[in-house]
Every structure is written in C-alpha cells, then in structure tokens.
Amino acid sequence: MAGSDRAARTPTAPDTVKILIAGGFGVGKTTMVGSVSEIAPLRTEEPLTVAGLDVDDLAGIEEKRATTVALDFGRITIGPDLVLYLFGTPGQQRFWFMWDDLAVGALGAVVLLDVRRPRASFAALDFFERRGIPFVVGVNGFFGRHPYPPERIRDALALPEDVQVLLCDARERGSCRDVLLALIDQLIAAAVRDDGTGRLTRRTR
Ligand SMILES: Nc1nc2c(ncn2[C@@H]2O[C@H](COP(=O)(O)OP(=O)(O)O)[C@@H](O)[C@H]2O)c(=O)[nH]1
Ligand SMILES: [Mg+2]
C-alpha cells in the first residue's frame, strides 16, 4: 500500500483539549462539570463544616453542602476529532494556589458567574486576563432567572469585545455544551487570526 493510502485509511486520534471551569465559591462549577460530562465525573468534594462558617459566604447558596477541595474532572466529545477534558477548579480563596498548576496546558477557560453574586468571580476573571488565557463568561442564572442581557454584563465587567458572555444554566447539559462550543469557536477564531491555521494547539505553560 502506498504511504499516502495508508495515511488516508488510518483513523487519527481526536485532538484532546484541556479546558478549565473556574469562578468563585458556589457559582456552579461542580454542577456544570457534572451535567455536561459523558463519564461519571471525578469529584473531590468535602462536606462544608462549621469551621468554614466565618470564611465561606453562603448567602444565596444556602443549599450548598459540600465544596471542591482539589478539582472536578469530566470529559465531553464534541465531534470525531475533538474531545474536551474539563477541569473544575476549587473556588475558595484558600485553594487558589492550585490554580496555576491546574492551568498548565489549558487552552482556555469558562469563568462561571452567579448572576446574583458577580463579585465572587472577579478574581477568576482577573486570573485569566493577567495570564492571557482565553476565556468565555458563563452567566449561571440561578433558578433560571436572567435579569440582565449579556451586553449589559459585558459592559459591567469591562470585558473586551472578543470575550463572549453567555447566559446559561449549570444544571442543563445542552446549555453547558453551548458555552463550551462558544469557547471552542473563540479559540479557533483566535488561531485563525494569529497563525492562519485555525488549529487548536497546546499551550506549553
Ligand atoms: N438553583 C440552582 N442551583 C444551582 C445551580 N448551579 C448550582 N446550584 C447549586 O448551588 C450549590 C453550589 O453549586 P456547586 O456546583 O457546588 O458550586 P461550585 O462551588 O462552583 O462548584 C449546589 O448546592 C448546587 O446544587 C443553578 O443553576 N440553579
Ligand atoms: Mg465545586
């Protein structure tokens, strides 16, 4: 068989892309990884205890019983040639030292925002802006309520035009998938702009 025939018949492995799901405490990161993942998500949750009452603000998320102490991990196949590995970050400030390690090799991120408590995700926005890691903003309308249109949220957060803001529901698979697809589109558009290839290549740091 000629070399080119062999190449044509050999199925290529899908590209695997690492994506971070970040944002403040209780904004819905673990929920999002769980609702969109096609494998049983790996969770590293521990119960919230009275020791955290003074430091962890539970206003608006009184139902929250556990918190991520290392990471959430999930996977979603976007097509025959693209698989996303999702890494949910821990939200509390005392675990932020792990974010730099989790960010190694990540192509992009979803910064989740609880529409009622946007401030909780400011540090995450800052983290990705400073490092130049591309991100989209997923606005989790708790209880399905979306009082503000995306443009209003973009203005309030002073985000550049090329950062997409999407209204979502962290509990709904389709909604979370749309946020991830928007991120992939944004990454491909950036690759076309930067080197004309449109190919998703791994970041080395
Ligand atoms: N009503 C509602 N509850 C949510 C939503 N997303 C997350 N939750 C709940 O809010 C709490 C915090 O969510 P979690 O995913 O643990 O947040 P994380 O700290 O960002 O990982 C949990 O009790 C979730 O069940 C949502 O979109 N609507
Ligand atoms: Mg969590």
Side-chain angles (χ1 to χ4, degrees):
M1 193 185 348
S4 56
D5 283 355
R6 199 178 299 124
R9 285 175 200 194
T10 309
T12 51
D15 280 339
T16 54
V17 169
K18 176 180 178 181
I19 301 292
L20 296 188
I21 311 294
F25 177 60
V27 298
K29 302 177 297 293
T30 299
T31 305
M32 177 176 247
V33 173
S35 52
V36 85
S37 181
E38 64 205 8
I39 55 171
L42 168 75
R43 290 189 174 148
T44 58
E45 289 206 294
E46 293 293 336
L48 287 168
T49 65
V50 285
L53 279 181
D54 289 339
V55 265
D56 297 332
D57 186 2
L58 283 169
I61 44 167
E62 291 80 5
E63 298 295 298
K64 190 168 169 67
R65 295 280 173 265
T67 188
T68 304
V69 291
L71 56 95
D72 302 308
F73 176 73
R75 185 188 73 197
I76 175 170
T77 303
I78 298 294
D81 51 4
L82 186 60
V83 173
L84 307 186
Y85 286 103
L86 307 176
F87 291 74
T89 60
Q92 290 122 308
Q93 208 155 355
R94 58 185 176 279
F95 294 124
W96 283 352
F97 67 91
M98 273 189 264
W99 285 30
D100 271 319
D101 287 340
L102 281 172
V104 173
L107 270 197
V110 173
V111 176
L112 257 193
L113 206 92
D114 174 348
V115 73
R116 307 162 305 168
R117 303 180 295 120
R119 268 174 199 285
S121 293
F122 281 1
L125 292 168
D126 196 49
F127 178 89
F128 294 107
E129 271 178 343
R130 277 171 193 259
R131 285 163 184 76
I133 300 175
F135 62 93
V136 296
V137 175
V139 182
N140 189 16
F142 263 67
F143 307 105
R145 287 189 211 116
H146 282 292
Y148 313 110
E151 309 78 57
R152 179 110 184 260
I153 294 170
R154 173 200 307 289
D155 287 350
L157 299 176
L159 292 169
E161 273 302 308
D162 60 345
V163 174
Q164 295 184 74
V165 177
L166 300 114
L167 307 183
C168 68
D169 185 329
R171 301 163 298 178
E172 300 235 331
R173 179 181 161 80
S175 171
C176 298
R177 195 169 188 277
D178 287 347
V179 174
L180 291 167
L181 289 176
L183 174 62
I184 295 303
D185 283 349
Q186 194 169 300
L187 294 174
I188 290 173
V192 169
R193 211 170 44 231
D194 294 347
D195 58 19
T197 64
R199 268 194 70 78
L200 301 176
T201 45
R202 234 170 281 272
R203 289 166 48 88
T204 49
R205 45 160 218 97

